[in-house]
Amino acid sequence: MAGEEIHVIGHINPDTDSVCSAIAYAAFKRQMTGKNYTAKRAGQINSETRFVLQKFGVPEPEYLSDVRTQVFDIDVVQVPGVGSDISLKRAWEIMKEGGLATLPVVCRNGQLEGLITIEDIAKSYMDVYDSCIIAKAETPFRNLIETLEGEMIAGDPDEIIQSGKCLIAAANPDLMENYIEKDDIVILGNRYESQLCAIEMGAKCIIVCDGSLVSFTIKKLAESKGCFIIKTPYDTYTATRLVNQSMPIRYFMKQKALITFQRNDYVDDIRETMAKKRYRDFPIMDLNGSYYGMISRRSLLGARKKRLVLVDHNEVTQAVDGLDEAEVLEVIDHHRIGSLETMNPVYFRNQPLGCTATIIYQMYREQELEISREIAGLLCSAILSDTLIFRSPTCTETDKKAAYALAQIAGIEPESYAAEMFAAGSNLSAKTPEEIFYQDFKKFVVNDVSFGVGQINSMTQKDLEDVRERMIPYMEKALTAHSIPMLFFMLTDILQGTTELLCAGNGAKELALEAFHLKEDTDQIILENTVSRKKQLIPALMQAIQQ
């Protein structure tokens, strides 16, 4: 599947419709366009949904908690890492060829060891006056040979220079004896006497310039004294300049307090750090901590927004974090139209049906696309769940027809399968109050008044009574966590078609009593023939708030 990934995602406390519709619509869009549509989830999978996915052998979508722009969404420059032993000259050549200002220095295991910049290389020429710098930098003879484009007549190219200074033998042999010391590197010409003197004085290496021939006698003497000989085609002046360029970059690179970013870092977070530092380029690490590439401040200008399709919701309060930084392409939903705003026109399909999955089934039929058993099973499960086996007032004949048609493709009997599915979702004994509360929770805002509503459905009254005892104290804790004035929780008995409404927060119970025209001294709020949050509870609460 080619192209940039487009996320198909439901709301932050996903129910079966939210998850199954995301999976089915992603599959639909892949069939239609050939593009990389991928289902994601914005919250934890509940027991009912997990049962459905396992029943039809469909893996859980990956969790996506935030859709702000990340380093993932930037074109990271794939600057190859270099070893710390390469010469300054070689580093400069790589930078020049690639138009680079910074070169990453990487170990064999992929870990970032340091960074070297053009500025570092310039300083190595302009600020270094130490004749012993070649030894201090622990320069390999191999670097000398490469930089001088030379030939090693005698010696071991893998040996490292660890002592001695570097000098030019411009004087006659008598004077040379006064300043050549043991382990020195001596740059000289074709004068036999100078070569002989340097070897006799214990020089570690002589560099013979202008491609001059080295006599057999000098070679044998050098070998016997442990003196290396390198022959270079360059003249003395050029060779002298090149010797300093042979030093390994590890001596000059930055190693401490490196500013690095991870591929999953958010652009907002790294932009602030980059603004405080005057570096031109910053290394990026992959999720395993290995070097990946480089970015600059200019790279942030080309950051791509994450592209989204929203299913089963259209309100910002119910959407994944960072929605304002993402690009919404489509919305497929069956709820009221909420607070979502987009920068560009989008495909928006909203129908007054009992389930988003019904809309997706219609789209498959409209395009005459084949529906696989797995997708049919997911869509049918979503409809049965959202309509409470056709008992919800949100359920329409369109939903029922879609469910039965999908059940036939999936090879299931709707009513008996639904009972099995709800039983799996109603096993609440092992869950914490927090898990139950957020299993299906949504926030709403009306006239600047915000409130949250959670719901749990069960086939047995006993399960609901157990949940009630644990949920009442937890709701007071949840009020503080959300910083909203009112919370409601629906304990819905699917078979009886009733809901007990729990209230928490200042004015919450009073609002519920007013919304459903109940007496002020009502202790336990039991709502007969009420199972739908979307069509029965929310409209009543909103109308009471507006009045």
Side-chain angles (χ1 to χ4, degrees), residues 79-135:
V79 180
V82 298
S84 62
D85 58 345
I86 71 166
S87 67
L88 290 168
K89 182 174 182 286
R90 180 61 188 138
W92 168 254
E93 289 170 348
I94 293 172
M95 289 178 167
K96 190 176 178 181
E97 290 168 6
L100 307 172
T102 306
L103 204 56
V105 184
V106 180
C107 303
R108 288 185 178 179
N109 62 4
Q111 299 296 306
L112 184 69
E113 190 174 353
L115 297 172
I116 189 158
T117 65
I118 290 176
E119 182 183 6
D120 296 326
I121 294 177
K123 285 181 178 179
S124 74
Y125 296 136
M126 303 302 296
D127 293 348
V128 175
Y129 303 99
D130 185 353
S131 62
C132 296
I133 189 67
I134 301 297

Side-chain angles (χ1 to χ4, degrees), residues 205-271:
C205 177
I206 60 172
I207 299 173
V208 181
C209 298
D210 294 313
S212 301
L213 293 174
V214 178
S215 70
F216 179 79
T217 305
I218 289 294
K219 181 181 176 184
K220 285 297 181 183
L221 180 63
E223 289 174 346
S224 67
K225 296 282 188 177
C227 178
F228 293 5
I229 302 175
I230 297 174
K231 184 173 74 170
T232 176
Y234 292 109
D235 58 61
T236 307
Y237 169 74
T238 305
T240 304
R241 293 180 60 217
L242 290 173
V243 164
N244 270 17
Q245 296 179 32
S246 70
M247 289 183 287
I249 58 174
R250 62 172 166 262
Y251 189 74
F252 299 94
M253 69 184 184
K254 294 179 178 70
Q255 290 180 275
K256 297 180 180 179
L258 298 177
I259 306 296
T260 65
F261 301 119
Q262 301 285 333
R263 289 198 71 203
N264 59 351
D265 282 344
Y266 293 104
V267 169
D268 276 352
D269 298 334
I270 72 170
R271 183 180 282 114

Side-chain angles (χ1 to χ4, degrees), residues 143-184:
N143 282 22
L144 270 178
I145 299 166
E146 177 191 50
T147 305
L148 292 167
E149 297 182 20
E151 175 188 356
M152 181 161 257
I153 306 298
D156 179 4
D158 292 324
E159 189 167 322
I160 293 173
I161 302 166
Q162 294 182 317
S163 60
K165 60 185 181 293
C166 186
L167 54 90
I168 301 172
N172 61 48
D174 292 339
L175 292 176
M176 285 172 57
E177 294 179 1
N178 295 325
Y179 57 82
I180 295 179
E181 298 175 320
K182 184 174 171 15
D183 291 339
D184 283 351

Side-chain angles (χ1 to χ4, degrees), residues 166-382:
C166 186
L167 54 90
I168 301 172
N172 61 48
D174 292 339
L175 292 176
M176 285 172 57
E177 294 179 1
N178 295 325
Y179 57 82
I180 295 179
E181 298 175 320
K182 184 174 171 15
D183 291 339
D184 283 351
I185 296 173
V186 183
I187 302 172
L188 38 67
N190 63 349
R191 294 177 61 186
Y192 178 87
E193 296 84 357
S194 297
Q195 297 173 3
L196 181 63
C197 178
I199 296 170
E200 291 290 356
M201 295 301 296
K204 180 64 180 178
C205 177
I206 60 172
I207 299 173
V208 181
C209 298
D210 294 313
S212 301
L213 293 174
V214 178
S215 70
F216 179 79
T217 305
I218 289 294
K219 181 181 176 184
K220 285 297 181 183
L221 180 63
E223 289 174 346
S224 67
K225 296 282 188 177
C227 178
F228 293 5
I229 302 175
I230 297 174
K231 184 173 74 170
T232 176
Y234 292 109
D235 58 61
T236 307
Y237 169 74
T238 305
T240 304
R241 293 180 60 217
L242 290 173
V243 164
N244 270 17
Q245 296 179 32
S246 70
M247 289 183 287
I249 58 174
R250 62 172 166 262
Y251 189 74
F252 299 94
M253 69 184 184
K254 294 179 178 70
Q255 290 180 275
K256 297 180 180 179
L258 298 177
I259 306 296
T260 65
F261 301 119
Q262 301 285 333
R263 289 198 71 203
N264 59 351
D265 282 344
Y266 293 104
V267 169
D268 276 352
D269 298 334
I270 72 170
R271 183 180 282 114
E272 185 176 346
T273 303
M274 293 173 88
K276 293 177 181 177
K277 302 295 180 183
R278 300 191 64 180
Y279 306 140
R280 180 170 170 179
D281 302 289
F282 297 83
I284 301 300
M285 317 304 287
D286 65 19
L287 300 184
N288 296 317
S290 297
Y291 167 74
Y292 180 78
M294 303 289 289
I295 63 170
S296 64
R297 290 185 185 87
R298 183 174 295 180
S299 303
L300 302 186
L301 299 175
R304 298 177 299 275
K305 290 184 175 183
K306 286 186 169 62
R307 306 172 76 195
L308 303 181
V309 174
L310 305 184
V311 297
D312 198 33
H313 70 298
N314 69 87
E315 298 200 48
V316 174
T317 55
Q318 298 170 15
V320 64
D321 287 345
L323 188 68
D324 57 329
E325 289 189 28
E327 181 183 3
V328 177
L329 303 179
E330 300 182 38
V331 180
I332 312 296
D333 192 20
H334 68 125
H335 296 95
R336 75 183 187 105
I337 297 175
S339 56
L340 180 67
E341 295 182 3
T342 61
M343 292 293 292
N344 301 306
V346 303
Y347 179 79
F348 193 108
R349 182 158 177 169
N350 186 290
Q351 294 177 240
L353 297 171
C355 184
T356 307
T358 305
I359 302 173
I360 296 171
Y361 167 75
Q362 290 179 333
M363 296 173 80
Y364 266 100
R365 285 292 176 245
E366 289 163 6
Q367 299 299 323
E368 299 181 349
L369 292 180
E370 183 180 351
I371 304 175
S372 68
R373 175 185 174 275
E374 292 77 16
I375 294 298
L378 298 187
L379 291 174
C380 182
S381 300

Side-chain angles (χ1 to χ4, degrees), residues 387-395 459 493-497 531:
T387 64
L388 300 178
I389 325 178
F390 315 128
R391 288 174 170 81
S392 171
T394 61
C395 184
M459 304 285 282
D493 187 320
I494 298 172
L495 297 179
Q496 299 299 320
V531 294

Side-chain angles (χ1 to χ4, degrees), residues 425-443:
S426 299
N427 185 15
L428 306 172
S429 58
K431 292 185 177 180
T432 65
E434 182 178 14
E435 289 172 329
I436 296 170
F437 183 79
Y438 290 110
Q439 182 164 308
D440 188 4
F441 175 80
K442 292 181 179 179
K443 289 183 183 178

